[in-house]
């Protein structure tokens, strides 16, 4: 006889911010995470905190960028003085908070766990301070599993040995702009209107962070004009995004959610006012190779994950009162809003409870854990009855969506599996050209800029006119780079020519003027 399914609930949430960037105040991620878990235990309002803590039998930790731990879940278990039967340390990815919470809820529902902790944190601000003081490793931090001689940055990651790497493209600062440009052109939007839209959206986000106590930019005002004005303090990174439209990762933040079942919560007399019900979740991924995506104005993984999470949770998009869309760059909330039929700016249902990864702070892979903790508080406080959190990872690569509610599911038990496959199926990308040569049209593009504001390199995804096959290329001459770097002239849809670089095998070079062969 199978056990009666349990109903999973979130009973406690905790957030920790170490705003100091002084070396003397440097706390490692494990310490911040431990503090967040203790705060979540207290947040449950349980009368016997020690009993609740002793009952922890499941610990999931989002992988930290800051420090290579030999066994972070084990270290936290040791500090909590518990011996969980389930310990898991995730892969990298901003989708992981939603995925881990969804999976923990399933374990609770199946009776495989009594009390589950889902947590994560970063201390890149402290690590950066220690690195500047030539104190690596920082004093008294856990001995790392590998040598640390620099501070992690997403822009410094190894691109590997692939088509993207041949063209020096592959990090988040490169790929998200390709989608913004594609989305802009697909809607027939001018570069000026697109820039103003992004500035307005991120000003709305900044206002939320300004009033959020756990935000890195708490109390700081960033207006639409500040965000939209390009200058020394807001230089262009990769068009069309200046610095204030990029995630800010140098923060010290941690958060934790504690889940249990309704039956165990009742046995501990945890007040129902603290209970928030996960209704369901779903997630999938697009191709890891960005050049193998079907287009650059939609995200099938976002669309499928949103639709499936709503469906499996038994709610419609109209039922959702509160959203938090991952927002490392403006394109992610834009794509989500477009799919759900919401206005991109001025929405009556705002897209963030935190303020986004620029203003709240891009807490590594763990940003959306803070969204889950804040969504829990918002639902408790009556700011809405149902909330949706979209967790995005990679280069618009993988997603996980979770729906939370003040009330339990209307029908059935918590879903026992992810309704989506690990990878999107049935979405075919254009065929890639090998050794592309000839007349071509720009499908999407971005330009990377130097620190002094001058254009460094152009990145083009194009199609050969003769057969529609896709190719990657860099700019092939200075005139093409100048034209691509223009803030008023749209390059998508323009005709040019692609040829192969004789000095770098596999590298395409694109120009708007045909280059005569010698």
């Amino acid at each position: 006889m199978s056990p009666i399914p349990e109903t999973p609930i979130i009973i406690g949430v905790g957030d920790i911010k170490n705003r100091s960037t002084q070396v003397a105040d440097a706390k490692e991620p494990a310490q911040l995470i431990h503090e967040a878990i203790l705060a979540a235990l207290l947040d449950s309002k349980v009368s016997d905190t020690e009993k609740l803590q002793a009952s922890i039998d499941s610990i999931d930790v989002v992988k930290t960028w800051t420090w290579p731990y030999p066994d972070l879940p084990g270290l936290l278990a040791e500090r909590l003085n518990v011996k969980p039967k389930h310990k898991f340390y995730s892969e990298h990815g901003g989708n992981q908070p939603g995925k881990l919470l969804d999976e923990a809820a399933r374990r609770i529902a199946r009776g495989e766990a009594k009390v589950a902790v889902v947590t994560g944190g970063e201390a890149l601000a402290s690590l950066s301070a220690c690195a500047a003081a030539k104190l690596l490793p920082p004093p008294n931090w856990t001995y790392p599993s590998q040598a640390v001689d620099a501070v992690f940055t997403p822009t410094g990651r190894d691109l590997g040995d692939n088509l993207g790497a041949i063209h020096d493209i592959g990090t988040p600062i490169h790929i998200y702009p390709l989608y913004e440009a594609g989305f802009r052109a697909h809607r027939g939007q001018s570069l000026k209107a697109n820039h103003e839209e992004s500035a307005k959206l991120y000003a709305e986000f900044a206002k939320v962070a300004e009033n959020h106590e756990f935000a890195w930019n708490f109390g700081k005002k960033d207006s639409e004009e500040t965000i939209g004005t390009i200058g020394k303090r807001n230089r262009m990174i990769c068009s069309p995004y200046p610095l204030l439209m990029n995630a800010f990762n140098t923060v010290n933040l941690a958060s934790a959610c504690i889940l249990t079942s309704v039956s165990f919560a009742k046995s501990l007399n945890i007040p129902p006012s603290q209970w928030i019900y996960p209704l369901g979740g779903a997630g999938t991924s697009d191709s890891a190779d960005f050049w193998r995506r079907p287009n650059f104005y939609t995200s099938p993984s976002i669309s499928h994950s949103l639709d499936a999470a709503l469906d499996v949770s038994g709610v419609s998009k109209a039922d959702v009162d509160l959203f938090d869309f991952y927002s490392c760059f403006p394109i992610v909330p834009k794509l989500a809003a477009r799919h759900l039929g919401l206005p991109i700016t001025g929405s009556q249902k705002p897209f963030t409870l935190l303020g986004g990864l620029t203003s709240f702070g891009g807490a590594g892979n763990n940003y959306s854990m803070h969204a889950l903790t804040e969504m829990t508080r918002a639902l408790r406080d009556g700011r809405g009855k149902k909330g949706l959190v979209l967790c995005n990872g990679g280069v618009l690569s993988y997603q996980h969506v979770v729906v939370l509610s003040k009330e339990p599911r209307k029908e059935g038990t918590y879903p026992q599996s992810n309704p989506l496959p690990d990878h999107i199926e049935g979405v075919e990308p254009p065929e890639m050209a090998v050794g592309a040569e000839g007349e071509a049209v720009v499908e999407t593009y971005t330009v990377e800029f130097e620190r002094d504001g001058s254009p460094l390199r152009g990145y083009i995804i194009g199609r050969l006119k003769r057969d529609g096959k896709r190719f990657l290329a860099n700019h092939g001459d200075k005139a093409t780079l100048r034209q691509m770097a223009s803030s008023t002239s749209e390059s998508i849809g323009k005709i040019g020519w692609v040829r192969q670089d004789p000095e770098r095998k596999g590298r395409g070079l694109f120009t708007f003027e045909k280059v005569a062969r010698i």
Side-chain angles (χ1 to χ4, degrees), residues 368-390:
S368 289
M369 191 73 73
H370 296 277
L372 292 164
T373 61
E374 184 59 25
M375 186 67 75
T376 297
R377 285 186 285 262
L379 295 172
R380 283 174 178 169
D381 294 345
R383 285 182 264 166
K385 290 185 177 180
K386 291 181 174 60
L388 180 150
V389 176
L390 165 65

Side-chain angles (χ1 to χ4, degrees), residues 48-362:
D48 190 343
T49 307
E50 290 185 4
K51 184 174 181 180
L52 177 60
Q53 179 172 327
S55 300
I56 294 171
D57 55 0
S58 172
I59 297 178
D60 287 285
V61 185
V62 175
K63 193 165 189 174
T64 175
W65 282 355
T66 306
W67 202 244
Y69 287 96
D71 179 12
L72 184 50
L75 177 61
L76 293 170
E78 183 180 325
R79 293 188 178 187
L80 292 165
N81 195 28
V82 296
K83 295 182 178 180
K85 54 189 176 184
H86 171 89
K87 292 187 300 178
F88 182 73
Y89 195 40
S90 81
E91 296 297 321
H92 283 298
N95 62 317
Q96 292 296 332
K99 183 178 181 182
L100 296 185
L101 186 130
D102 188 17
E103 292 173 346
R106 289 194 196 111
R107 284 194 300 279
I108 296 287
R110 291 195 294 261
E112 296 172 0
K114 186 173 286 185
V115 177
V117 171
V118 185
T119 188
E122 297 288 351
L124 284 170
S126 288
L127 186 63
S128 297
C130 291
K134 297 185 173 8
L135 287 173
L136 288 182
N140 303 316
W141 282 29
T142 300
Y143 193 80
S145 59
Q146 62 190 62
V148 177
D149 54 13
V151 179
F152 174 85
T153 170
T155 59
R157 66 179 63 174
D158 184 2
L159 296 178
D161 181 17
N162 55 48
L163 186 61
I166 291 170
H167 294 85
D168 300 306
I169 181 174
T171 68
I173 64 167
H174 300 138
I175 309 308
Y176 288 89
L178 295 177
Y179 276 88
E180 184 70 61
F183 188 58
R184 173 187 73 218
H186 182 71
R187 292 187 293 158
Q189 192 179 40
S190 70
L191 274 72
K192 182 176 184 291
N194 175 256
H195 183 74
E196 291 172 350
E197 176 186 76
S198 295
K200 183 175 178 61
L201 175 65
Y202 264 34
E204 292 175 1
F205 280 30
K207 186 66 177 176
V208 174
E210 180 189 337
N211 297 297
H212 196 299
E213 63 175 315
F214 296 118
W216 199 248
N217 282 359
F218 176 55
K220 181 184 178 184
K221 296 180 184 293
D222 275 330
S223 67
E224 183 178 340
E225 182 181 4
T226 300
I227 295 167
T229 301
I230 312 301
K232 289 183 178 180
R233 294 189 176 182
N234 189 32
R235 67 184 181 89
M236 188 62 75
I237 305 298
C238 288
S239 62
Y241 292 144
L243 182 65
L244 292 178
M245 293 180 195
N246 284 249
F248 181 75
N249 300 308
T250 312
V251 300
N252 301 319
L253 294 167
S255 54
C257 295
I258 297 178
L259 296 87
T260 191
S261 63
V262 166
S263 61
F264 193 64
K266 287 180 177 178
S267 74
L268 292 179
N269 294 316
I270 296 173
S273 61
Q274 301 306 102
W275 303 0
I276 292 299
Y277 296 82
L279 299 185
T284 188
S285 63
D286 289 304
S287 172
D289 298 330
F290 67 88
W291 57 90
R292 299 188 189 280
R293 308 279 175 83
N295 59 58
F296 292 91
Y297 52 85
T298 66
S299 167
S301 62
I302 286 180
S303 301
H304 283 65
S305 298
L306 286 169
D307 291 345
L310 289 169
D311 182 63
V312 79
S313 299
V315 301
S316 70
K317 62 184 180 183
D319 295 329
V320 179
D321 305 303
L322 303 168
F323 295 97
D324 194 282
F325 298 150
Y326 194 94
S327 48
C328 49
F329 300 88
I331 189 59
V332 182
K334 287 184 184 186
L335 290 173
R338 178 82 167 203
H339 181 70
L340 293 174
L342 300 170
I344 288 173
T345 59
S347 175
Q348 292 185 340
K349 295 181 178 181
F351 305 153
T352 182
L353 299 182
L354 298 177
L357 280 83
T358 301
S359 298
F360 180 87

Side-chain angles (χ1 to χ4, degrees), residues 483-504:
Q483 186 170 336
M484 289 175 62
S486 167
S487 61
T488 58
S489 175
E490 177 66 84
S491 291
I492 292 177
K494 287 192 173 180
I495 303 299
W497 283 263
V498 62
R499 67 184 192 278
Q500 292 298 296
D501 185 346
E503 297 179 3
R504 192 169 183 179

